[in-house]
């Protein structure tokens, strides 16, 4: 029998010798004292490692999983598709799965007049990259040759490919590459907890978006930036409502609608990155729907397959799509794509996931699940080094600070957030922080007691690293 999975010892040995992990310091990872977890299985919100330890999946497997692991309907959909075909080309060919998904995605946006079209790819970054190239080429082909400028939001993260890095503002990830990227105009990311214009005292137990005292300077800043460049700007790229990798920055309600209105006034395209916020994560099917906004371009990824297979999509308005139509000899074709575009297995998983969300009541169930998360995460206010607990839908961020009264952060060399998450592993929780912002993003299948256990495990990890009685 050929071998398909290694024993625990083999996996650890071969991994140490041959594998390079993303976002991982391999020197630390290869240290024999480092507890490397080998995932061997999972069911629902629980992951199991090769030695039989069980962990709650506290960040939905890096923000991808929606319905839990081994979801019977998604499992069955992939198996059914596997009995037909796994993959074939999507270049000048189609299959009988991807069009169903495209139609479902467009209908889910509930904006028939926008005449949205779907371009498939395989990861969040590739969906952003496609959106960017589509915008560039569309402006060119529409003869709007002055519209060459792109706006981005402070702290934005759109992925790690070169175009996506150009649109992002993640110094810690992209510093070395910045001079190889193109320049964008950046407007401040609205982030009430750390906003220099917020004059409210640091109150405990409240959402900074509600407690803020300001003149909505962020609203004015984006308006000024867009109006000043109204003739030369092609598009603004932004994560709606929650900027994930910035540290779960949560925008005050109304900001997105405000941006959309200015864009519309000036003919600037609104390109939304719903890679993290999409598919219910921020509380509605898409975060833009929280504000009644219809983007011109939209990237989705991560949760699209329920967290099963790599798939992403760039959804484009008919107005932009039309700029690419013409005789082949006119050279208007979008000459861009990936080998696995429209992969039927991934599309089958995505269709099953959307069916669970929309037809089987999962989306509706999020109303009370996010209340469970709100209740469970109150525990963090008991800790003096918690400066902010913020939540949008099924996304909860807990920001650790040295001094809550002044919001002074810990030094990044202390790696406080990372240490807390490692400590939480010993209490049965897997999650990763963004700097010193702890992340809780439970799969939607989580029970109330699992959500409470996730918060408690993270809180216990926090108390291991920063003992309560000491401070
Ligand atoms: C994760 C993420 C991306 C990049 O997606 P990948 O699948 O990792 O390439 C882009 N934008 C946002 C908002 C994300 O959270």
């Amino acid at each position: 029998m050929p071998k398909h999975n290694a024993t625990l010892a083999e996996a650890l040995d071969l991994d140490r010798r041959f594998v390079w992990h993303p976002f991982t310091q391999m020197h630390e990872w290869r240290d024999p004292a480092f507890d490397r977890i080998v995932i061997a299985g999972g069911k629902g919100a629980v992951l199991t490692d090769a030695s039989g330890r069980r962990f709650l999946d506290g960040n939905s497997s890096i923000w991808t999983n929606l319905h839990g692991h081994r979801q019977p309907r998604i499992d069955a959909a992939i198996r059914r598709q596997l009995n037909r075909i796994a993959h074939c080309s999507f270049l000048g060919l189609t299959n009988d799965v991807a069009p169903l998904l495209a139609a479902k995605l467009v209908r889910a946006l509930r904006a028939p007049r926008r005449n949205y079209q779907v371009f498939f790819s395989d990861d969040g970054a590739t969906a952003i990259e496609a959106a960017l190239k589509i915008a560039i080429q569309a402006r060119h082909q529409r003869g709007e040759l002055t519209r060459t400028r792109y706006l981005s939001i402070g702290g934005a993260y759109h992925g790690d490919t070169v175009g996506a890095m150009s649109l992002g503002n993640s110094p810690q990830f992209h510093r070395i590459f910045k001079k190889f990227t193109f320049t964008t105009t950046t407007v401040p990311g609205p982030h009430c907890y750390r906003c220099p214009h917020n004059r409210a005292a640091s109150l405990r137990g409240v959402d900074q978006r509600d407690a803020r005292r300001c003149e909505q300077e962020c609203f004015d800043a984006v308006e000024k930036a867009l109006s000043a460049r109204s003739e030369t700007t092609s598009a603004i790229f932004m994560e709606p409502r929650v900027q994930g990798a910035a540290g779960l920055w949560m925008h005050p309600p109304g900001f997105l609608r405000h941006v959309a209105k200015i864009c519309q006034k000036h003919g600037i395209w609104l390109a939304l990155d719903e890679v993290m916020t999409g598919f219910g994560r921020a509380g509605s099917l898409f975060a833009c729907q929280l504000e009644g906004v219809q983007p011109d371009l939209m990237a989705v990824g991560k949760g699209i397959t329920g967290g099963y297979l790599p798939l992403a999509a760039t959804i484009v308005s008919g107005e932009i799509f039309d700029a690419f139509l013409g005789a082949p000899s006119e050279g208007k074709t979008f000459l861009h794509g990936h080998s696995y575009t429209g992969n039927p297995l991934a599309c089958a998983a995505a269709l099953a996931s959307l069916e669970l969300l929309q037809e089987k009541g999962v989306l509706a169930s999020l109303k009370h699940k996010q209340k469970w998360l709100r209740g469970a995460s109150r525990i963090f206010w008991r800790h003096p080094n918690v400066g902010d607990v913020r939540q949008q839908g099924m996304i909860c961020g807990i920001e650790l600070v040295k001094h809550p009264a002044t919001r002074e952060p810990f030094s990044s060399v202390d790696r406080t957030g990372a240490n807390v998450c490692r400590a939480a592993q010993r209490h049965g929780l897997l999650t990763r922080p963004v700097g010193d912002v702890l992340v809780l993003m439970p799969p939607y299948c989580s029970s109330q007691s699992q959500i409470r256990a996730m918060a408690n495990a993270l809180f216990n990890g926090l108390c291991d690293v920063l003992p309560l009685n000491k401070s």
Side-chain angles (χ1 to χ4, degrees), residues 63 123-125 128 157-159 239 273 275-276 302:
W63 315 357
D123 277 286
I128 289 289
Y157 176 81
H158 298 295
E239 297 156 88
D273 179 348
V275 172
M276 188 272 280
K302 286 199 169 104

Side-chain angles (χ1 to χ4, degrees), residues 171-448:
Q172 73 274 32
F173 301 155
H174 300 152
R175 181 174 38 86
I176 295 166
F177 305 100
K178 211 62 201 176
K179 67 170 179 260
F180 297 96
T181 61
F182 70 86
T183 305
T184 59
T185 305
T186 306
V187 295
H191 177 27
C192 302
Y193 181 64
R194 294 224 165 266
C195 179
H197 303 291
N198 183 4
R199 288 170 279 111
S202 224
L203 292 172
R204 297 188 71 72
V206 300
D207 187 318
Q208 297 291 324
R209 286 171 292 180
D210 301 329
R212 75 183 194 272
R213 288 182 53 215
C214 66
E215 310 296 330
Q216 296 205 328
E217 284 85 349
C218 57
F219 285 59
D220 294 343
V222 71
E223 183 155 11
K224 255 189 217 133
L226 287 166
S227 306
R229 300 165 184 87
S230 61
E231 306 287 309
T232 56
T233 300
S234 170
I236 179 168
F237 277 73
M238 66 182 279
E239 297 156 88
R241 289 298 281 263
V242 184
Q243 292 184 234
L248 302 187
W249 292 3
M250 296 184 187
H251 296 179
F255 182 77
L256 174 62
R257 201 177 315 123
H258 177 70
V259 174
K261 215 186 290 166
I262 309 162
C263 282
Q264 198 164 31
K265 183 171 152 198
H266 295 305
I268 294 166
W269 290 332
L270 177 63
L272 293 184
D273 179 348
E274 292 243 18
V275 172
M276 188 272 280
T277 51
F279 304 103
R281 194 41 84 177
S284 63
L285 190 57
F286 298 111
C288 61
Q289 294 172 331
L290 292 167
E291 308 220 350
V293 163
Q294 297 169 1
D296 299 288
L297 298 127
M298 181 165 122
V300 291
K302 286 199 169 104
I304 186 172
T305 60
Y308 265 67
L309 287 161
L311 181 73
T314 307
I315 302 171
V316 183
S317 73
E319 181 198 338
I320 296 175
F321 175 78
D322 286 348
F324 292 81
L325 300 180
S329 58
E330 285 180 69
K332 289 184 173 177
T333 310
F334 188 44
L335 297 174
H336 174 101
H338 302 283
S339 312
Y340 284 99
T341 298
N343 177 264
L345 287 177
C347 290
L351 278 166
S353 173
L354 268 171
E355 192 180 295
L356 284 165
L357 274 174
Q358 296 178 297
E359 286 133 54
K360 303 290 165 194
V362 171
L363 200 58
S365 79
L366 294 183
K367 270 213 170 56
H368 59 264
K369 303 226 161 170
Q370 63 199 44
K371 279 199 196 122
W372 298 345
L373 182 58
R374 196 172 299 283
S377 61
R378 272 199 203 104
I379 190 174
F380 291 102
W381 286 116
R382 289 189 205 160
H383 199 286
N385 291 109
V386 168
D388 194 26
V389 181
R390 44 185 181 263
Q391 187 184 342
Q392 177 69 52
M394 289 298 273
I395 308 164
C396 178
I398 301 106
E399 183 155 348
L400 305 179
V401 289
K402 201 164 174 182
H403 297 298
T406 59
R407 299 171 191 165
E408 183 191 336
F410 287 104
S411 161
S412 62
V413 297
D414 293 343
R415 303 183 70 232
T416 310
N419 292 336
V420 168
C421 291
R422 291 211 61 84
Q425 280 180 13
R426 295 191 286 274
H427 297 283
L429 178 79
L430 291 181
T431 185
R432 274 176 83 88
V434 182
D436 286 340
V437 179
L438 309 177
V439 176
L440 274 182
M441 273 195 215
Y444 307 163
C445 66
S446 307
S447 66
Q448 186 169 16

